[in-house]
Amino acid sequence: MSVPPTPPQRLPTDWKSDAMRKRIAGRYAAERRFKYAGLFAVLLSASFLAFLLVTMMGNGLRGFTRTEIALKIDFPASPLLLDPAAITDESLNQANLPMVTDTVAKKLLGADADTLLSPTAWISIRDAIKADPKILSRTETISVPASTGLDLAAKGQGSPEMEAAVARLKQQDVLSTGFNTSFLTASDGTDPTQVGIWGAFKGSLLTMIVTLVLSFPIGVATALYLEEYARKSWWTDIIEVSINNLAAVPSIIFGLLGLSIFLNLAHLPRSAALVGGMTLALLTMPVIVIAGRNAIKSVPPSIRDAALGIGASPVQVVFQHVLPLALPGILTGTIIGMARALGETAPLLMIGMRAFIATPPGGITDPATVLPVQIFLWSDEVSKGFVEKTSAAIIVLLAFLLAMNGLAIYLRNKFETRW
């Protein structure tokens, strides 16, 4: 019977051999290459993000400013005949404020006043009269918005003719560029110098409230049922596969679903925050269910066993022990899902939330639009003045999204329990 050869034994000093040293050096070199590759990927991603932010800031910050012309109006000598003691909204709306504005502008600015003033400049005079009717009995200087061409020229993007007009008005000390508060308080319009995002922002807020009220309790209840109560069967397998598939379905499919069910079948009001919230709830619910199930799974079984051991009922175990411990993860997933819904445009376009909304919605059944759709509508406008308004609205939307994601990170770090 032959004895198998004894394998060569490694000597303790093998690691000092040249071959081993080469292998160790190659291993360290590979680790350094991997480290530098990861660092390069991070820097490349950061550079793309910085380019996006710088581009948006460069174009959008100008959208938060507006150029105005100071008009000195002698109201007693003007053709505007109104009694300061009997000023009403109806009397101002019926008055010849546009004619007064044009007359004063041509007297102060010259024959080209029509190209220097915004078509809605008379609204500023109306608001000034509403704020203080006594100005009708004296001479008052009122700042009115400049035209789009003059506004762009004052910001360094206008034509040579408008740049010359800017220089002339600055010599007269009647031109100024400052922060545009109406951009944060007004709604949509046809004049880029008068538009604002408040209507779209309020519509987004109402839509997100409806989405949260519908998707959060249903999503959490579904996650609790699947993890704590449902028995493993072919039926639960179908439900799990369906939820995972719904989370990957393109958003426009949910828009078609909302169009066919909420509008055509249920006859709910078109372009309302209620319908938009219900449609986005269908989009967000699978994300909340998946995040909720993962958070519930992360709770150690010993928590359940200990609660049952001291006499707690299964319902008490779920709602007094498991759910509070899983709630931080559920909230994080919910906020991330809501942030995704906030940036969606396609499903809302399908249900008609692209209407021209000149006044902010008063409730969830009033016609409304949202920030992504408002950005889409402004980007399709012909006037150059809407370009910077589009970028400014994108900055507001990004700030909203960053705030929601920051809240998710804060909740996760504050309430997360490490086992």
Side-chain angles (χ1 to χ4, degrees), residues 90-108:
E90 183 178 357
S91 64
L92 286 177
N93 290 333
Q94 293 177 353
N96 51 357
L97 286 175
M99 183 185 68
V100 173
T101 305
D102 294 340
T103 302
V104 174
K106 289 180 179 179
K107 183 179 179 181
L108 297 177

Side-chain angles (χ1 to χ4, degrees), residues 215-286:
S215 61
F216 182 74
I218 298 177
V220 174
T222 303
L224 284 174
Y225 173 78
L226 292 176
E227 289 299 323
E228 299 294 331
Y229 296 103
R231 295 181 179 178
K232 192 68 175 178
S233 64
W234 63 270
W235 173 245
T236 57
D237 291 340
I238 292 177
I239 294 176
E240 291 180 4
V241 172
S242 300
I243 291 174
N244 293 329
N245 288 335
L246 285 175
V249 168
S251 60
I252 196 171
I253 304 300
F254 293 97
L256 292 172
L257 183 63
L259 175 65
S260 61
I261 295 179
F262 302 139
L263 294 182
N264 297 338
L265 185 61
H267 301 289
L268 294 175
R270 182 179 294 270
S271 187
L274 175 62
V275 180
M278 295 171 69
T279 303
L280 293 180
L282 298 177
L283 174 69
T284 310
M285 209 175 300

Side-chain angles (χ1 to χ4, degrees), residues 17-157:
S17 64
D18 293 339
M20 181 60 70
R21 287 175 179 175
K22 290 181 180 180
R23 285 197 295 268
I24 293 176
R27 196 178 307 138
Y28 286 160
E31 291 178 357
R32 285 194 298 269
R33 287 194 298 269
F34 181 77
K35 175 183 176 180
Y36 294 146
L39 181 60
F40 174 77
V42 172
L43 293 177
L44 184 63
S45 302
S47 63
F48 281 126
L49 178 60
F51 176 77
L52 172 65
L53 293 178
V54 169
T55 304
M56 287 295 102
M57 290 295 178
N59 295 330
L61 290 180
R62 292 192 296 265
F64 291 98
T65 61
R66 184 173 70 177
T67 303
E68 295 181 343
I69 301 175
L71 294 182
K72 188 176 182 180
I73 304 176
D74 185 4
F75 283 101
S78 68
L80 182 62
L81 301 176
L82 288 176
D83 184 6
I87 291 296
T88 61
D89 291 343
E90 183 178 357
S91 64
L92 286 177
N93 290 333
Q94 293 177 353
N96 51 357
L97 286 175
M99 183 185 68
V100 173
T101 305
D102 294 340
T103 302
V104 174
K106 289 180 179 179
K107 183 179 179 181
L108 297 177
L109 305 178
D112 58 346
D114 294 339
T115 62
L116 301 180
L117 283 185
S118 168
T120 57
W122 63 272
I123 296 178
S124 299
I125 300 178
R126 182 196 65 185
D127 295 339
I129 296 174
K130 284 183 178 181
D132 184 12
K134 294 181 180 180
I135 66 173
L136 292 173
S137 58
R138 64 176 185 265
T139 300
E140 188 75 14
T141 300
I142 300 176
S143 295
V144 298
S147 64
T148 301
L150 189 64
D151 180 62
L152 293 175
K155 299 172 183 178
Q157 294 181 327

